[in-house]
Amino acid sequence: KGVGPKIAQKLEKLGAETVYDLLYLFPRRYDDYTLMKPINRLNYGEQVTVIGTIWQTRAKRLKGNKTLIQAVINDGTGSIQATWFNQPWLTKQLPAGMQIVLSGKVDQFLGRPVFNSPEWEPLELEPLRTRRIVPVYPLTEGLGSGRLREIMGTTASYWSLRVPDALPEPMRRRLKLYPLSQALKQIHFPDNQQTLHEARKRLSFDELFLLQLGMQSQRRQWQSRSAAPIVAERDQLNQFYDLLPYTLTGAQDRVIQEILNDMSADVPLNRLLQGDVGAGKTVVAAVAMFAAARSGAQAALMAPTEILAEQHYRGLSALLAPTGLELALLTGSTPAAEKSAIYERLAAGTIQIIIGTHALIQESVEYSNLALAVIDEQHRFGVEQRGALRDKGNRDGDQTNPHLLVMSATPIPRTLALSLYGDLDLSILDEMPPGRQEIKTRWLRASERERAYNFIRRQVEEGRQAYLIFPLVEESDKIDAKAAVAEYDILKNEVFPDLKMGLVHGRLKSEQKEAVMRGFYAGELDILVATSVIEVGVDVPNSTVMIIEGANRFGLAQLHQFRGRVGRGEHQSYCVLIADDSTGDAEKRLTALEETNDGFLLAEKDLELRGPGEFFGRRQSGLPELRMASLLDLPLLKLSQKEATNLFAKDPALSLPEHELLREQLSLFW
């Protein structure tokens, strides 16, 4: 009722095409007007509601054909003036003598309290806008807050009672959660703060519960496949360990054991290996690949870029070639003749370990017996690409899956890892190899930039290299941040005309990016100017300085990733953060970076300061959108995970009649 084709179009812009969507179009915030006060006790800056009588209303002409409406309201204890702009009809709607309810923020003008554009309604009306906790919705052009609230009022009171509740009743009662109809009504028009809290809790639980059910179902699908068990012989492992130029850390030993245990079963390994920059993930992957190759099978490692693949190839060759294993590198740039030879040897099984990019999952690539797939920087690959690599392990149509190990150098707080990768087991390298030097970090204000440039020059004179990171590719009117392209020209021509410089940003073609990165890697460039594209993975042991412009614009986790690009060699390394704005939050982030080199600590801090939406930048690929729940709500996250696990143990296919609605909800949500 009250929604015709025009309003329907506007609601569609807000994401609501059906009544059901409308019920789930939640307020973005609430104004609590239940705090009523007499006018003589008002304080500046507070949100309040007052009731009084209008003494006078008048219109004032302003420049540019604009009008200002002023009304004086008195409640017997004192008077307050309310003003509205460009609403000349209010002089008729607000006559002297009328009793009125006003809600808004108390401002001051010439030392007296005033309301600017407050909400109002005649005293006798049902208090939808005032004298209660009022929902504030996202708006679109042509649909005002009052109108939308009326529509939502009708929707919430009539339709919330008619929404079927998918949560099994015994579970709902046991967890003391609101029924869905009550939660939906209270989330839109809460009676008080307590009912609002309970409504939020119920709706958040629903989302996290469906998230976890989806994860469990993916996990179950994966575990229903079989894999060829790989048993690592202790003698062979010891031979490999003896060849290593260093001793493994306790964390590496523990994680290797977790991985080898999983690989020895006939259910495929499905594990996420998380480790901070420099924690030694490569050698852990090398042990798993060694075990697979020694058992007579093949292992593949897929990296997101050619440079990263080449780097892995060099690192793994150094570790594994002495053991007599046959390794090969396959990327888009591999010459055609060499490619054909690699294809033949892979299909014949003479190549035991292959390292490469997306080239590993091309249709023309066939493996003789792929038993282990390792994916590096897994967040850079989509679900389809992971699936394609897994499918390469299905031999002759048998449904044997390879074991899957995914690695990430982007530390994610454990809470988030549980909710985002609930389908994977989690291994964490939380210990740094001894002798790994700490990168000295300082943050400077923009006015001190010259010091940073002088420092770069001194380091280059000593034979070192430097990175300079900028937040944007090109200048923008909207954001006054230094842009890489424009700054590169200034730096090249005015600041460092005598030094060799290169520029890398996201708008370059990948072969152009690769060429510049290669030049930097080979030592042909002194300074690399870049945007965030250099975030992951590449080691240039000779680079010792990382300067980040507009550091306040990046999240902590990302800044930590940038910093990890230096400190890869024997020389002391430095990271300088230049802030073009130092608001409270930015200062907290930059100071946190100065204080610790621990990526997991920083990830927790980042999450706490910025919330999960910002933490991931754009929506985490392949995950449903959460409208109400916060991934920071650890107690609710753990509860939803526990309930999902229990439910799955009883009814994995959700086929019982009492779970029918839940099964529908789950496929809708995902």
Side-chain angles (χ1 to χ4, degrees):
K1 189 177 180 335
V3 177
K6 275 192 178 154
I7 298 256
Q9 257 183 333
K10 294 185 171 28
L11 289 171
E12 202 175 318
K13 278 189 187 157
L14 296 173
E17 291 184 43
T18 64
V19 169
Y20 184 84
D21 294 336
L22 206 51
L23 280 170
Y24 279 83
L25 176 66
F26 298 133
R28 55 189 175 87
R29 65 178 171 86
Y30 300 86
D31 290 337
D32 191 346
Y33 292 133
T34 52
L35 312 162
M36 286 195 131
K37 277 181 121 176
I39 290 172
N40 67 350
R41 300 234 326 268
L42 298 182
N43 297 314
Y44 296 127
E46 62 184 350
Q47 280 279 22
V48 290
T49 298
V50 299
I51 291 181
T53 305
I54 297 176
W55 276 12
Q56 176 197 35
T57 302
R58 65 197 182 109
K60 235 175 133 176
R61 275 254 175 273
L62 301 175
K63 274 186 201 157
N65 208 14
K66 292 179 176 166
T67 50
L68 175 71
I69 306 298
Q70 295 175 319
V72 176
I73 293 94
N74 184 289
D75 70 349
T77 70
S79 296
I80 188 165
Q81 180 174 285
T83 56
W84 293 269
F85 284 93
N86 293 333
Q87 298 179 38
W89 58 88
L90 288 181
T91 46
K92 287 201 178 74
Q93 289 182 0
L94 300 175
M98 171 177 150
Q99 284 205 296
I100 186 175
V101 184
L102 282 175
S103 298
K105 184 178 170 197
V106 183
D107 287 320
Q108 69 171 310
F109 179 65
L110 300 178
R112 289 198 302 275
V114 292
F115 279 130
N116 286 319
S117 306
E119 296 272 9
W120 67 272
E121 60 196 6
L123 183 56
E124 71 276 355
L125 286 183
E126 197 270 325
L128 183 60
R129 289 202 289 276
T130 48
R131 281 181 295 156
R132 61 168 306 137
I133 300 176
V134 176
V136 178
Y137 292 97
L139 296 176
T140 183
E141 201 181 334
L143 187 59
S145 51
R147 183 79 190 90
L148 185 52
R149 259 186 226 124
E150 279 165 28
I151 294 167
M152 294 311 275
T154 314
T155 312
S157 58
Y158 182 83
W159 288 105
S160 62
L161 305 171
R162 287 157 176 79
V163 177
D165 196 336
L167 209 59
E169 183 67 11
M171 184 197 291
R172 188 187 69 68
R173 287 184 184 284
R174 181 167 45 79
L175 299 178
K176 300 188 172 66
L177 294 170
Y178 268 6
L180 184 58
S181 55
Q182 189 180 2
L184 285 169
K185 193 157 189 238
Q186 290 298 323
I187 202 72
H188 289 290
F189 296 99
D191 294 338
N192 52 49
Q193 289 291 349
Q194 183 56 33
T195 62
L196 176 57
H197 171 75
E198 292 297 338
R200 267 203 184 116
K201 184 177 167 189
R202 163 63 210 258
L203 294 165
S204 297
F205 176 81
D206 282 4
E207 288 185 334
L208 294 174
F209 184 55
L210 290 169
L211 186 69
Q212 293 300 334
L213 279 178
M215 295 286 185
Q216 301 274 348
S217 129
Q218 286 171 23
R219 186 186 183 88
R220 181 170 161 267
Q221 238 172 341
W222 177 247
Q223 289 179 333
S224 66
R225 304 276 179 89
S226 60
I230 294 172
V231 179
E233 299 294 334
R234 178 47 56 189
D235 294 353
Q236 288 181 340
L237 283 177
N238 286 339
Q239 281 171 356
F240 176 59
Y241 292 152
D242 290 343
L243 290 170
L244 291 176
Y246 45 74
T247 312
L248 296 176
T249 64
Q252 284 171 321
D253 274 333
R254 183 191 72 239
V255 166
I256 287 170
Q257 212 40 62
E258 289 169 352
I259 291 168
L260 294 178
N261 286 347
D262 283 2
M263 282 167 61
S264 66
D266 57 3
V267 173
L269 159 86
N270 196 29
R271 204 166 262 283
L272 168 63
L273 170 59
Q274 270 208 308
D276 210 340
V277 178
K281 290 181 294 298
T282 310
V283 72
V284 170
V287 174
M289 294 168 95
F290 173 79
R294 276 281 177 257
S295 74
Q298 291 169 306
L301 183 148
M302 182 161 78
T305 65
E306 290 196 1
I307 290 190
L308 211 45
E310 286 170 19
Q311 191 171 289
H312 275 305
Y313 177 66
R314 276 193 298 272
L316 288 166
S317 295
L319 293 169
L320 294 168
T323 66
L325 293 175
E326 195 66 37
L327 286 84
L329 172 70
L330 179 64
T331 69
S333 315
T334 307
E338 203 180 315
K339 258 187 198 160
S340 316
I342 288 175
Y343 290 168
E344 276 173 35
R345 290 163 59 217
L346 261 182
T350 52
I351 291 177
Q352 294 150 298
I353 290 174
I354 182 93
I355 292 132
T357 53
H358 298 74
L360 298 181
I361 54 178
Q362 301 296 327
E363 270 183 45
S364 44
V365 180
E366 280 183 24
Y367 295 81
S368 152
N369 176 13
L370 179 64
L372 170 68
V374 182
I375 294 179
D376 189 30
E377 288 309 330
Q378 63 86 35
H379 64 280
R380 302 275 289 276
F381 290 107
V383 179
E384 297 79 17
Q385 290 155 323
R386 290 214 296 255
L389 184 57
R390 277 204 311 244
D391 291 344
K392 292 287 183 189
N394 292 337
R395 296 184 307 285
D396 312 321
D398 68 355
Q399 280 301 299
T400 321
N401 268 39
H403 296 281
L404 181 69
L405 177 66
V406 294
M407 306 198 292
S408 175
T410 310
I412 295 175
R414 189 178 275 276
T415 54
L416 278 192
L418 286 175
S419 46
L420 298 174
Y421 308 115
D423 56 330
L424 298 168
D425 295 308
L426 188 61
S427 285
I428 295 182
L429 283 175
D430 47 10
E431 185 184 341
M432 279 294 177
R436 172 88 193 174
Q437 51 159 302
E438 190 135 317
I439 299 160
K440 293 185 176 171
T441 307
R442 289 284 168 273
W443 77 268
L444 306 175
R445 299 186 191 283
S447 54
E448 304 171 281
R449 183 174 289 114
E450 211 51 46
R451 285 172 60 192
Y453 290 168
N454 289 336
F455 184 64
I456 288 183
R457 189 171 282 287
R458 287 202 301 278
Q459 287 284 307
V460 170
E461 281 164 5
E462 285 175 28
R464 308 285 87 79
Q465 289 162 283
Y467 291 98
L468 251 163
I469 308 292
F470 289 93
L472 294 173
V473 180
E474 282 159 10
E475 291 288 353
S476 140
D477 301 335
K478 295 192 181 72
I479 307 175
D480 178 28
K482 291 197 168 287
V485 177
E487 288 300 316
Y488 174 72
D489 291 336
I490 296 171
L491 290 163
K492 191 175 169 50
N493 298 320
E494 297 172 26
V495 186
F496 302 116
D498 51 331
L499 300 183
K500 297 187 290 292
M501 295 177 67
L503 171 68
V504 179
H505 56 73
R507 296 207 190 133
L508 290 178
K509 292 201 170 75
S510 32
E511 48 273 22
Q512 292 173 300
K513 267 189 257 185
E514 298 266 342
V516 179
M517 290 300 296
R518 244 175 252 292
F520 189 62
Y521 191 87
E524 293 155 13
L525 300 173
D526 301 313
I527 299 172
L528 182 67
V529 175
T531 56
S532 55
V533 293
I534 63 106
E535 195 177 327
V536 170
V538 182
D539 285 356
V540 181
N542 190 43
S543 60
T544 55
V545 187
M546 167 62 69
I547 307 261
I548 304 167
E549 283 277 3
N552 46 294
R553 296 172 189 279
F554 294 105
L556 265 176
Q558 202 178 12
L559 289 168
H560 179 63
Q561 285 294 308
F562 292 148
R563 172 166 68 182
R565 297 301 100 237
V566 295
R568 297 309 192 109
E570 61 205 279
H571 309 289
Q572 175 60 55
S573 291
Y574 308 87
C575 175
V576 180
L577 310 161
I578 299 178
D580 51 28
D581 167 38
S582 44
T583 51
D585 252 8
E587 284 206 11
K588 277 185 201 155
R589 288 213 298 277
L590 301 176
T591 306
L593 269 161
E594 280 188 336
E595 287 167 359
T596 179
N597 268 279
D598 181 329
F600 286 96
L601 262 179
L602 289 169
E604 293 280 0
K605 186 87 184 149
D606 202 17
L607 194 56
E608 181 192 311
L609 287 172
R610 298 195 306 158
E614 281 283 310
F615 185 84
F616 287 111
R618 285 177 225 89
R619 262 185 60 198
Q620 179 72 15
S621 56
L623 270 189
E625 195 172 4
L626 300 179
R627 299 173 183 201
M628 179 59 67
S630 161
L631 294 171
L632 296 177
D633 191 341
L634 192 55
L636 207 56
L637 197 60
K638 284 185 169 161
L639 180 68
S640 64
Q641 200 175 28
K642 183 175 140 210
E643 292 296 332
T645 310
N646 292 345
L647 187 75
F648 249 86
K650 290 189 203 114
D651 182 15
L654 298 180
S655 52
L656 293 173
E658 63 266 35
H659 297 151
E660 192 185 340
L661 267 175
L662 199 54
R663 198 172 64 242
E664 276 177 39
Q665 249 346 108
L666 187 64
S667 70
L668 260 179
F669 183 72
W670 278 86

